[in-house]
Amino acid sequence: MIITGLLLGAVLGFVLQRGRFCVTGAFRDVFVTRNTRWLTAFLIVVAVQSVGIFALVGLGAIHPVTKDLPILAVILGGFVFGFAIVMAGGCATGTYYRAGEGLVGSWLALITYAGASAMMKTGLLKGFNDGVRSVTVPLRSIHETLGVSPWVLVTVLVAAVGMAAHHHLSKPKRVVATLPPRRTGLAHLLLEKPWHPFATALVIGAIAIAAWPLSTATGRNDGLGITTPSSNLVNLLVTGEATYLDWGTMLVLGLLVGSFIAAKASGEFRVRVPSAQIAVRSVTGGVLMGVGASLAGGCTIGNAMVQTAQFTYQGWLAFAFMLLGTGAAAKVFIIGHRGAEQVRPGTSAAETSETTVTAGV
C-alpha cells in the first residue's frame, strides 16, 4: 500500500514543477514586491484542504491527532525555517522539485536539510530538539478554545480566501508576449502553457486531501509531510532498517520522480552548477531548514499547509513566524541588494537567489 505514497508524490512533484508553485516566493513577495497573489494561492490550498479534512473526519475516514503546543520550539523553529528557505532558495517542497529540475544548489540544500532533520529527530541533536519541544502550553486547536464547530472556521477561511482570490482575478490581465505553441491538446496544456497559480492551488489542495486516507490506510495517521519523511529517508539509507520505509518516505521520493518527469517532458531540465557563494548559502540554508522544521514540528507543508487546515495553534503560529523569518531574510539578502522593483512577483526563490548573488559578485 505504501506504493500510493510514491504515486501521489510523483503527481504532486509534477504539479509543483509545472505550476512553478514556490512557497518561498509566495512568502517573499509579501515583503519584497508587496504582492499577495501567490500567498493567496497558498491559502487556497489550505482552505480546500480544510474542507476535505473535516469532511473526512465527519465521515469517520480519518482521525487526526492534535497535541499541546510546544510554543518555544514553534516560534523559534518557524522563524529559523522562514529565514533559511530564502538562503536555500526554496522551502522543503520547492527544494525537492527544483532538485528534480537539475538545480545543483537545490541538491545541496536538500541533502543538508534531510541530514539536519535526521540529526534533530534521531541523531546527535535529538536531545536539544526534544528539550526545546518539551516546553508546552495546553493549547491545541482554535475551535476547541472557542467552543465552536470547526466548520465555523472553515466557512470563515473559505470566505476570506475567496474574497482575496476575487480581488486578484478582477484585476486587468497583463498581456505577455509568448512564442507560438509547439504542442497541441493535452500536451500543450500540461507541458507548455503556463499554469494559473489558483488552478495549481486547487489541484494541490485535492492532492493534500487524498493524502490523508491513502496515508492512513498504511497506518500513518497524517497527511502531506516532508521533514519527517526526509529524516526517515536518511535513516533508511544509513541503517537499512525497513521501519524507516513508510508512506511518507515514498512520498518524498515521488516528488523527485514527478518533478524530473515534468522538467524533462517540458524541456526545462538542465543541470545548473551554482557559484561558490550560492553553494555555501544553499548548504547553510539547508542545515537551518532541517533544524527549524524539526523544532517547529513541520515545514511550510506540514505546518503552514496541513496543520493550519486543521486550525491548530501550532500550524498558524508556525505560519506567522515563517512569514516573519522570510521577511527578515528578504531584507538581508534581497531588498538590501536589489530593491523591490527588480524582483518579479512569482519568480521562484531559487531563481531570485541565483540572480541576486550573481549581481552581487
Side-chain angles (χ1 to χ4, degrees), residues 265-318:
S266 62
E268 295 177 355
F269 179 85
R270 181 166 57 90
V271 176
R272 284 155 286 182
V273 180
S275 67
Q277 186 176 2
I278 296 176
V280 170
R281 185 178 295 182
S282 296
V283 168
T284 305
V287 170
L288 292 177
M289 280 171 60
V291 171
S294 298
L295 284 171
C299 62
T300 42
I301 300 300
N303 260 332
M305 184 184 290
V306 176
Q307 289 288 327
T308 51
Q310 300 173 69
F311 298 105
T312 67
Y313 283 98
Q314 174 178 307
W316 286 99
L317 189 63

Side-chain angles (χ1 to χ4, degrees), residues 95 124 147:
T95 301
L124 185 64

Side-chain angles (χ1 to χ4, degrees), residues 7-187:
L7 297 175
L8 191 75
V11 173
L12 179 59
F14 187 97
V15 172
L16 289 170
Q17 197 283 328
R18 290 301 304 128
R20 315 305 302 169
F21 202 88
C22 177
V23 179
T24 304
F27 288 7
R28 177 211 65 198
D29 285 353
V30 175
F31 302 96
V32 178
T33 65
R34 301 292 188 251
N35 188 293
T36 59
R37 185 170 180 249
W38 278 97
L39 182 63
T40 299
F42 181 81
L43 290 172
I44 288 173
V45 179
V46 177
V48 169
Q49 186 183 188
S50 189
V51 172
I53 286 176
F54 287 108
L56 289 171
V57 169
L59 293 171
I62 62 173
H63 305 280
V65 175
T66 56
K67 300 179 181 179
D68 288 347
L69 172 66
I71 187 167
L72 179 60
V74 171
I75 291 174
L76 176 61
F79 187 88
V80 169
F81 185 84
F83 194 95
I85 61 179
V86 176
M87 296 184 68
C91 68
T93 50
T95 301
Y96 269 96
Y97 94 69
R98 294 287 288 175
E101 292 180 342
L103 193 67
V104 176
S106 292
W107 298 357
L108 297 173
L110 180 57
I111 291 168
T112 51
Y113 157 65
S117 300
M119 290 177 64
M120 290 287 285
K121 290 180 174 294
T122 58
L124 185 64
L125 299 177
K126 185 177 187 301
F128 167 69
N129 189 46
D130 292 346
V132 180
R133 287 188 58 80
S134 68
V135 181
T136 62
V137 293
L139 293 173
R140 297 191 175 189
S141 65
I142 299 172
H143 49 279
E144 287 180 1
T145 299
L146 297 177
V148 300
S149 166
W151 285 105
V152 174
L153 300 183
V154 172
T155 302
V156 172
L157 177 62
V158 170
V161 172
M163 287 189 290
H166 179 267
H167 166 73
H168 288 286
L169 291 172
S170 63
K171 291 182 178 180
K173 294 183 179 180
R174 293 184 300 171
V175 178
V176 180
T178 58
L179 295 173
R182 295 176 298 170
R183 297 180 172 94
T184 59
L186 188 60

